[in-house]
Amino acid sequence: MTITGGSGFVGQLLRRGLDAEGWRVRVYDPYRGPVVDLMRRRYLATSEKHRAAARIRTAQKRAERALRRARLIRATGDSILGDRERLAAAFAGSAAVVHLAGIPHPQQPGATDADFVRLNYDASVNVFEAARDAGVATFVFASSAQVYRINDMVRLEQFPILESHPLPLPAEGQSIYGFLKAAFERYLAGRCATGATQAVSLRLEYPGIRSTGPSNFFVSTSIENLVSGFACALRPPDTFGHDVFNLCDAEVYRSVVDVQSYLAHRWPYVPNRTAGNESLLSTEKARRELGFRPAAGGRYCPEALVW
């Protein structure tokens, strides 16, 4: 299998986890190799209380820039916007392509709307079509819970939030990032109605990070559940051409919040179909159709190491 953006934060977590499960993983990334992995390694500490996290992240970024200037780290020529035939050749022989590459966050400093269109939509189309040309059987797209505008939802139909929840438009305040994630999901649905390539879109939320605040309804995804979800997506049932699934922890730690008390206080008029400390982003569909079995008690990277 091949992972685009495999040198990034989520890419490195998946590479380690999927390698342990027996997958032979190739990396497609403009910068890759052991030195790049070290400079971008965000799982140096897996405690959210790691006080030196921000200093480590800053030191890594400075060191990588210095190594590039010294030409000790050189660009590979890999480009998700590159020639499609070259992309297809890079994917040849892969049973699956996991597409992570692109602008990773709606508030990426310096990114313009045009940058998001070019790198998060046009490039995704290019990667998928190249994978399809190469005869790749399974395409896994790293989508996002930002398709719901999870940090400031326009309307709430119920808890937990299902994949069928209406998705907001830019006129309703949706970010270009979230809008384009949903737009590419729709593109995959259309293209996978025919052809041999099957696609799975995983709507990620806080991948590898533990949430401690209400801005995303306290939704976290442990490293173990992140890897497990992608492993399930890499072997999807043959009952669909393309489908979307939320991917996160099934439960919220009680040390963080009592979910039922939070809902009663903050969202008393929204229908509540959760029990106990169940996650407010539903994992039921992924459990039912992909065989995802989210486990409790996983590991998390400090948020300050990532952003």
Side-chain angles (χ1 to χ4, degrees):
M1 64 165 292
T2 302
I3 300 180
T4 70
S7 296
F9 169 62
V10 173
Q12 289 202 47
L13 295 179
L14 289 179
R15 283 164 53 197
R16 289 169 62 88
L18 294 174
D19 180 73
E21 294 205 6
W23 286 91
R24 181 173 171 270
V25 181
R26 290 189 235 166
V27 175
Y28 189 86
D29 198 292
Y31 293 94
R32 50 183 160 85
V35 177
V36 174
D37 288 347
L38 181 62
M39 293 301 100
R40 297 184 182 181
R41 190 176 179 183
R42 299 292 185 257
Y43 45 87
L44 290 165
T46 51
S47 166
E48 67 275 9
K49 297 180 181 179
H50 195 290
R51 295 181 179 179
R55 292 196 298 275
I56 291 172
R57 182 194 63 191
T58 300
Q60 287 175 311
K61 288 182 176 180
R62 287 176 177 170
E64 181 174 342
R65 287 195 294 267
L67 289 171
R68 286 192 198 180
R69 287 194 298 270
R71 296 183 63 79
L72 295 175
I73 295 178
R74 299 188 181 188
T76 63
D78 293 349
S79 172
I80 54 177
L81 283 166
D83 179 78
R84 191 167 294 172
E85 288 187 6
R86 184 176 176 183
L87 265 173
F91 299 154
S94 292
V97 167
V98 172
H99 181 45
L100 305 178
I103 300 174
H105 196 272
Q107 279 82 49
Q108 184 75 8
T112 66
D113 285 359
D115 293 330
F116 280 105
V117 171
R118 185 170 56 91
L119 293 170
N120 283 22
Y121 186 82
D122 293 345
S124 296
V125 169
N126 199 40
V127 169
F128 172 76
E129 293 298 342
R132 184 164 157 144
D133 290 347
V136 173
T138 305
F139 184 87
V140 181
F141 172 54
S143 188
S144 171
Q146 293 294 334
V147 298
Y148 306 115
R149 197 183 175 209
I150 193 171
N151 300 117
D152 188 16
M153 294 190 68
V154 175
R155 52 191 176 274
L156 276 166
E157 293 190 332
Q158 69 155 66
F159 288 113
I161 300 164
L162 305 176
E163 288 86 348
S164 56
H165 192 284
L167 305 184
L169 299 171
E172 299 172 290
Q174 174 62 293
S175 67
I176 188 70
Y177 174 90
F179 176 74
L180 291 174
K181 287 288 187 182
F184 186 60
E185 290 179 359
R186 292 191 293 272
Y187 179 88
L188 290 175
R191 292 294 285 150
C192 292
T194 59
T197 300
Q198 185 179 19
V200 177
S201 293
L202 296 176
R203 291 174 175 174
L204 310 182
E205 181 59 23
Y206 261 45
I209 309 170
R210 183 175 174 180
S211 172
T212 57
S215 63
N216 74 331
F217 301 113
F218 304 96
V219 177
S220 305
T221 311
S222 71
I223 295 170
E224 290 79 4
N225 286 336
L226 175 71
V227 172
S228 174
F230 272 86
C232 291
L234 286 166
R235 295 187 177 93
D238 59 5
T239 53
F240 58 83
H242 166 263
D243 211 342
V244 299
F245 302 90
N246 295 330
L247 179 59
C248 61
D249 294 347
E251 302 284 333
V252 177
Y253 287 88
R254 289 190 179 275
S255 59
V256 173
V257 70
D258 181 299
V259 168
Q260 298 307 314
S261 296
Y262 165 72
L263 292 180
H265 173 73
R266 179 64 181 85
W267 304 99
Y269 304 113
V270 176
N272 176 21
R273 297 183 173 88
T274 67
N277 248 43
E278 181 181 343
S279 171
L280 297 180
L281 193 63
S282 176
T283 59
E284 175 56 32
K285 184 179 178 183
R287 292 169 183 254
R288 183 179 68 248
E289 298 189 26
L290 295 181
F292 178 48
R293 296 292 179 264
R299 295 172 297 135
Y300 304 86
C301 291
E303 186 173 2
L305 268 175
V306 183
W307 306 119

